[in-house]
Amino acid sequence: MDRLYTQRWEQLRRKRNELDLDSLLITNPINVSYLTGFSGDSSYLWLGRKDAILISDTRYEIQIAEECPGLKVEIRDSRSTTNQIAAQVIRSTGSKSVGIEGDTLTKSTFDELCDLAGQQCPVISTRGLVESLRMIKHPTEIQAIRRSIAINQRGFEIVRNQLQPDQTERSIAFQLDHQMRQLGADQCAFKPIVGVGERSALPHGVPGQRQVRESSFLLVDWGAQVDGYCSDLTRMILVGKPPAKLLKIFQIVLNAQHAAIAAIRPGATFQEIDRAARSVIERAGFGKYFGHGLGHGFGLQIHELPFLNPIRQGTLEPNMVITVEPGIYLPELGGVRIEDDCLVTSEGVEILSSLPKDIDSAYQQIL
């Protein structure tokens, strides 16, 4: 196995030892991939004191050999289930206790594993063990994120420069997807959010049939996935003469984002970074119109630890990658959100995204 994965196993074993567990059963496909490099699904990773075993099925036998050379594998066929093989591994290795990922297993699957493992090996629910490791990105992960952002930005620039009055929110979302794939993305990191006019006040609005010509502004939130790693940006596009109030909240949101980014440094709390932006919006009288958290981590998933909001405990560390995305949403007018991707460094912060975001740069002549 690649040394990177064995290092991650050792980090995870240390966390397991803190919980006094004999072994771990990793069932979240994203976490299995993070720990092995296997890109398929429907598979578990058992991690014992010294060994690791990937539990999968005949569909992936050749793929596993290609992606995970040297990894021990238990392959099931159609006459057995993944849970049954997992229980056999647990019993055959003499595990005295096994921790499972409580956040990703249903109650029925948990109960079945308990029954199959037997009373000699208690099954204990755990939370966030692998996810906490994933918060700190390896240099190879950061490079993949940089590639994702580069494709993300280029795709947006192409779509923006080709905007037409009769384009709908849905067609813009489709064009973003198409352009990013053409540039080398695996796929969109999530379904693009496109809101024209007052529909921009829907933070996670589903693109519909509203046309660009029906307003003087629109919000676009989009992301690429490249080599398995995500990116996530939001920009406003001004295509006419926006209402003065819209321009006012645009500047407030931009000021809030600047304040938050300036506060990013190792040791700063998640709440502190959120407060840096939220206080700017509150002082301007729009606090009740900023209802979501300031940002989140991303990597193999578009939303992962850490989460920057008023209630999350924790501090920033070097090599965390986070979004910073304050917003103000006025139902009768529309919304403004500005989002960038940031890397926490040993000295402060690096803004990984570089698309212009000021009001003047937001204006776009439509064809």
Side-chain angles (χ1 to χ4, degrees):
M1 284 295 294
D2 188 290
R3 180 169 174 77
L4 175 61
Y5 299 117
T6 57
Q7 288 175 341
R8 289 172 178 172
W9 296 352
E10 289 310 310
Q11 289 177 304
L12 187 55
R13 284 189 174 106
R14 287 195 288 271
K15 288 183 173 292
R16 178 205 60 197
N17 292 341
E18 292 172 3
L19 298 176
D20 197 26
L21 292 170
D22 195 52
S23 61
L24 293 172
L25 187 66
I26 307 303
T27 54
N28 180 340
I30 299 294
N31 290 341
V32 172
S33 177
Y34 177 77
L35 293 167
T36 65
F38 173 55
S39 62
D41 56 21
S42 306
S43 304
Y44 296 168
L45 177 69
W46 177 83
L47 192 69
R49 297 243 171 229
K50 295 182 179 180
D51 290 335
I53 300 172
L54 185 62
I55 301 163
S56 192
D57 61 68
T58 55
R59 295 172 299 167
Y60 295 118
E61 192 166 5
I62 296 175
Q63 182 177 337
I64 291 170
E66 293 175 346
E67 294 181 342
C68 313
L71 179 60
K72 293 183 179 180
V73 182
E74 284 287 341
I75 298 292
R76 70 173 182 86
D77 59 24
S78 59
R79 292 169 294 184
S80 58
T81 69
T82 307
N83 282 350
Q84 288 171 337
I85 300 303
Q88 289 178 19
V89 168
I90 291 168
R91 291 195 299 268
S92 67
T93 55
S95 290
K96 298 179 176 60
S97 61
V98 59
I100 57 91
E101 296 186 292
D103 287 335
T104 58
L105 282 186
T106 63
K107 177 66 163 55
S108 60
T109 301
F110 175 76
D111 289 343
E112 182 182 21
L113 279 169
C114 289
D115 290 340
L116 290 169
Q119 294 183 352
Q120 300 303 315
C121 181
V123 178
I124 310 299
S125 179
T126 69
R127 293 192 68 183
L129 295 184
V130 182
E131 287 81 358
S132 64
L133 297 181
R134 285 168 47 194
M135 283 198 296
I136 310 299
K137 269 50 179 186
H138 186 270
T140 58
E141 295 180 285
I142 295 171
Q143 287 303 316
I145 290 169
R146 289 183 190 276
R147 292 193 295 272
S148 179
I149 293 170
I151 287 176
N152 191 356
Q153 295 188 146
R154 181 58 184 144
F156 175 76
E157 289 174 329
I158 292 171
V159 171
R160 173 186 155 133
N161 290 335
Q162 296 177 353
L163 271 184
Q164 299 181 21
D166 62 350
Q167 272 190 285
T168 64
E169 297 165 340
R170 186 175 295 176
S171 70
I172 294 169
F174 172 80
Q175 287 299 324
L176 279 167
D177 186 333
H178 174 73
Q179 289 295 341
M180 290 190 294
R181 289 175 188 264
Q182 286 283 93
L183 292 166
D186 308 332
Q187 59 187 9
C188 284
F190 55 93
K191 292 181 179 180
I193 299 164
V194 183
V196 172
E198 66 271 16
R199 282 180 47 78
S200 60
L202 301 171
H204 275 193
V206 177
Q209 296 301 326
R210 190 78 184 272
Q211 294 183 338
V212 172
R213 70 168 88 243
E214 296 181 54
S215 181
S216 56
F217 60 93
L218 61 152
L219 178 152
V220 184
D221 184 343
W222 76 107
Q225 185 186 79
V226 177
D227 299 331
Y229 283 83
C230 300
S231 53
D232 188 3
L233 300 173
T234 306
R235 288 293 185 269
M236 301 299 299
I237 302 177
L238 308 180
V239 295
K241 186 178 181 180
K245 193 170 185 179
L246 189 283
L247 296 179
K248 177 181 178 180
I249 65 171
F250 192 131
Q251 190 60 54
I252 294 167
V253 169
L254 186 58
N255 293 343
Q257 198 210 33
H258 285 320
I261 292 174
I264 294 173
R265 67 188 187 285
T269 68
F270 306 155
Q271 295 176 0
E272 181 182 349
I273 306 305
D274 179 274
R275 171 51 49 188
R278 198 170 299 276
S279 61
V280 172
I281 294 174
E282 289 175 345
R283 286 196 301 269
F286 293 95
K288 69 177 181 179
Y289 300 106
F290 177 28
H292 58 73
L294 176 67
H296 55 84
F298 62 96
L300 289 171
Q301 290 178 290
I302 194 58
H303 295 113
E304 58 183 52
L305 296 175
F307 292 97
L308 311 180
N309 61 41
I311 60 174
R312 284 282 184 153
Q313 301 290 329
T315 58
L316 294 177
E317 298 180 41
N319 293 334
M320 287 182 174
V321 179
I322 55 175
T323 68
V324 180
E325 49 181 305
I328 295 174
Y329 311 94
L330 306 179
E332 76 284 0
L333 174 67
V336 174
R337 179 167 67 253
I338 301 170
E339 177 181 18
D340 281 294
D341 297 338
C342 297
L343 170 68
V344 182
T345 69
S346 59
E347 297 180 351
V349 61
E350 177 188 352
I351 305 175
L352 299 175
S353 42
S354 58
L355 283 173
K357 56 190 175 184
D358 59 280
I359 292 176
D360 289 342
S361 299
Y363 283 97
Q364 175 68 34
Q365 184 71 38
I366 57 177
L367 302 176

